[in-house]
Amino acid sequence: MATNAVTLQSSLITPVTVNAEIYSSLPSTNKRKTYFNLIIPDNATTLIFDIPVTSHEHNLQINVIGNANNDGLFCQTIENNINGYHSCSIYIEKKGLYSIEITSSNPESIIKLKSTTHPLIKKTGYCYNERQNPNADLSDLISRFRGTNWLSILKSTYDRRWPSGAMLVKAQANDPYFSQFIDKTNFRKMAESLMVAIHEETHMYDLDSTRTDWEQNLTAFVNQHWQPKVPIHGGFPRKEILPLIEGNATKSWDDIYLRNRVQGNYLMQGVLSELNAGLMGLAGVGIVGEFVDGYGASNARDSAAAYMYHLQLYLRHAKANHPNYYSKINNEKLLKDFVLIQWLRLHYYLEVTKNFSKLDTNSAAITQLLYRPYNIEAIENITGHSLLLASNKNCLPENDPFEPPF
């Protein structure tokens, strides 16, 4: 059992990692309350708070919130004095991201936090990755760029840095709409436009009538080695997940894909196709992220996370309210593998683009939703695999064998 000190301040909490990852700190709206988010990486974890025994701490309360209804688990103080501290413990049944609310009459207190979780750094099994060379020199291509030769420059760029992207571009080279998505002003503007361009060309590839049986099978361009035709068996209108939405972090995507009269009636095809296109769009602009200096791709990371959130809610709603449909997809190994790869792939792309601030508006607020226990459970239930929530989120645990289907 590890122990680290957590220092409480009136407006901010900056705890040290304690066999559980401090995900974010939130400013206090009340001088007596301090908040932070904590990722618990294992099921069946006990958090133990050691509280200093002082006259100022009689009214201290600790509340751990982990569900959509904001129902909390309250830390019950044990009235025993061990080295000048009282102790209280909270049992966390399911792993995920929890909000910690501490109400204290003495905001400068030091509370020691212990955990029964295993060390954060674990041995991993299968990890999703792609062949990439993000440092490949592009200076000659940049100097040769002329708006009229954008396609050849883009092909060469991806040939050097991202072979999967090169394969998609070559497959879609004759699409008459491709050019409309590209800003041909200069190389930097082209790079910035690639989030939208690759997103849309992924749609064009995936939803081509020669590849996809609408509402029954989704062909998805995942990478140069895998373009599966995933059985999806119809589904239900995605607008049905609106009551499950928490907060406003995904409002832009909710308005477009769930509240729109046409889009809201799309079934599982719509949910998965947007996720795949969003992931490809993030990869497509991320591989040239150092050249993006405007706002055309400023929500690339946010979008990919938002589409994953919609999938989590769709799976939750299917299991609870459409059991026959859920049973169908839960019996499709290819769909189960596809969902797992998309989860790991999202985290691979988030990691490789983490230093490009121009590709991010507020993805942290959305990824917090992804890691709530009930949303993590949605992915684990359908895939049958355990997700890593500490480091290496693009990997599976060593003791969870998985052979990728490509």
Side-chain angles (χ1 to χ4, degrees), residues 335-399:
L335 182 140
K336 293 157 74 75
D337 288 351
F338 180 71
V339 170
L340 179 63
I341 290 294
Q342 298 294 60
W343 173 270
L344 301 178
R345 187 176 170 222
L346 166 66
H347 289 88
Y348 173 77
Y349 291 152
L350 289 177
E351 178 65 21
V352 299
T353 60
K354 66 182 180 181
N355 294 324
F356 297 132
S357 60
K358 294 294 178 67
L359 304 182
D360 199 306
T361 300
N362 190 20
S363 67
I366 303 174
T367 53
Q368 285 182 29
L369 298 171
L370 301 186
Y371 304 141
R372 289 298 188 187
Y374 37 88
N375 292 331
I376 288 295
E377 192 174 40
I379 301 296
E380 292 189 333
N381 283 343
I382 195 69
T383 65
H385 291 275
S386 179
L387 305 180
L388 290 178
L389 296 186
S391 54
N392 301 317
K393 293 185 181 71
N394 65 308
C395 301
L396 293 175
E398 182 185 36
N399 60 354

Side-chain angles (χ1 to χ4, degrees), residues 66-92:
N67 63 36
N69 298 320
N70 290 325
D71 296 330
L73 301 168
F74 290 91
C75 196
Q76 302 298 319
T77 301
I78 302 171
E79 295 295 336
N80 61 337
N81 188 337
I82 301 176
N83 298 324
Y85 287 88
H86 290 318
S87 293
C88 68
S89 62
I90 299 178
Y91 176 74
I92 309 294

Side-chain angles (χ1 to χ4, degrees), residues 204-249:
M204 297 293 189
Y205 182 99
D206 290 357
L207 301 178
D208 188 295
S209 60
T210 64
R211 300 188 182 98
T212 291
D213 302 323
W214 186 255
E215 306 296 14
Q216 296 304 313
N217 296 282
L218 170 71
T219 296
F221 189 104
V222 174
N223 56 45
Q224 66 186 119
H225 305 294
W226 200 41
Q227 303 89 45
K229 192 168 186 176
V230 183
I232 53 178
H233 298 291
F236 53 88
R238 58 184 171 183
K239 65 184 178 183
E240 289 186 24
I241 69 174
L242 272 169
L244 298 178
I245 297 290
E246 296 179 62
N248 294 314

Side-chain angles (χ1 to χ4, degrees), residues 4 7 50 68 75 101 123 136 193 203 205 214 315 329 365 382:
N4 289 90
T7 302
D50 283 347
C75 196
E101 175 189 84
K123 292 182 179 179
S193 68
H203 277 321
Y205 182 99
W214 186 255
L315 292 170
I329 60 175
I382 195 69

Side-chain angles (χ1 to χ4, degrees), residues 14-274:
T14 53
V16 179
T17 301
V18 45
N19 282 353
E21 179 179 313
I22 300 301
Y23 190 77
S24 66
S25 303
L26 306 176
S28 175
T29 56
N30 183 314
K31 290 184 178 180
R32 294 180 179 273
K33 291 183 184 292
T34 306
Y35 304 86
F36 65 95
N37 289 325
L38 184 72
I39 286 184
I40 306 297
D42 289 307
N43 293 330
T45 293
T46 299
L47 296 180
I48 302 171
F49 297 85
D50 283 347
I51 305 159
V53 180
T54 70
S55 59
H56 298 291
E57 292 302 333
H58 292 320
N59 296 321
L60 184 140
Q61 295 179 356
I62 301 174
N63 186 21
V64 179
I65 302 170
N67 63 36
N69 298 320
N70 290 325
D71 296 330
L73 301 168
F74 290 91
C75 196
Q76 302 298 319
T77 301
I78 302 171
E79 295 295 336
N80 61 337
N81 188 337
I82 301 176
N83 298 324
Y85 287 88
H86 290 318
S87 293
C88 68
S89 62
I90 299 178
Y91 176 74
I92 309 294
E93 181 180 0
K94 297 178 180 179
K95 66 185 178 185
L97 185 143
Y98 290 79
S99 297
I100 313 294
E101 175 189 84
I102 299 179
T103 305
S104 172
S105 58
N106 181 12
E108 300 302 325
S109 297
I110 293 179
I111 295 177
K112 292 183 179 179
L113 175 59
K114 306 173 188 176
S115 167
T116 60
T117 58
H118 300 296
L120 277 178
I121 300 175
K122 296 184 177 182
K123 292 182 179 179
T124 59
Y126 171 75
C127 297
Y128 182 85
N129 57 69
E130 289 186 25
R131 182 182 162 202
Q132 292 188 347
N133 184 12
N135 298 316
D137 180 42
L138 303 177
S139 57
D140 60 315
L141 300 180
I142 295 171
S143 66
R144 296 207 318 265
F145 185 88
R146 306 288 182 270
T148 54
N149 66 352
W150 68 269
L151 183 60
S152 64
I153 296 294
L154 179 56
K155 285 180 182 177
S156 297
T157 296
Y158 282 167
D159 276 333
R160 295 181 190 183
R161 289 197 168 190
W162 183 41
S164 289
M167 181 176 172
L168 177 67
V169 168
K170 290 170 185 175
Q172 295 301 107
N174 294 324
D175 177 17
Y177 298 101
F178 201 163
S179 176
Q180 298 178 24
F181 304 129
I182 297 290
D183 188 331
K184 308 172 190 67
T185 305
N186 53 50
F187 185 89
R188 285 184 173 272
K189 289 297 184 182
M190 181 188 75
E192 186 175 321
S193 68
L194 289 176
M195 183 197 85
V196 172
I198 298 303
H199 178 118
E200 296 301 336
E201 286 307 312
T202 301
H203 277 321
M204 297 293 189
Y205 182 99
D206 290 357
L207 301 178
D208 188 295
S209 60
T210 64
R211 300 188 182 98
T212 291
D213 302 323
W214 186 255
E215 306 296 14
Q216 296 304 313
N217 296 282
L218 170 71
T219 296
F221 189 104
V222 174
N223 56 45
Q224 66 186 119
H225 305 294
W226 200 41
Q227 303 89 45
K229 192 168 186 176
V230 183
I232 53 178
H233 298 291
F236 53 88
R238 58 184 171 183
K239 65 184 178 183
E240 289 186 24
I241 69 174
L242 272 169
L244 298 178
I245 297 290
E246 296 179 62
N248 294 314
T250 59
K251 185 178 185 304
S252 297
W253 297 271
D254 305 337
D255 288 347
I256 295 171
Y257 300 106
L258 306 180
R259 295 188 177 96
N260 178 273
R261 184 175 59 84
V262 175
Q263 291 268 6
N265 284 309
Y266 288 175
L267 312 184
M268 177 63 103
Q269 186 107 32
V271 176
L272 291 181
S273 64
E274 287 303 334

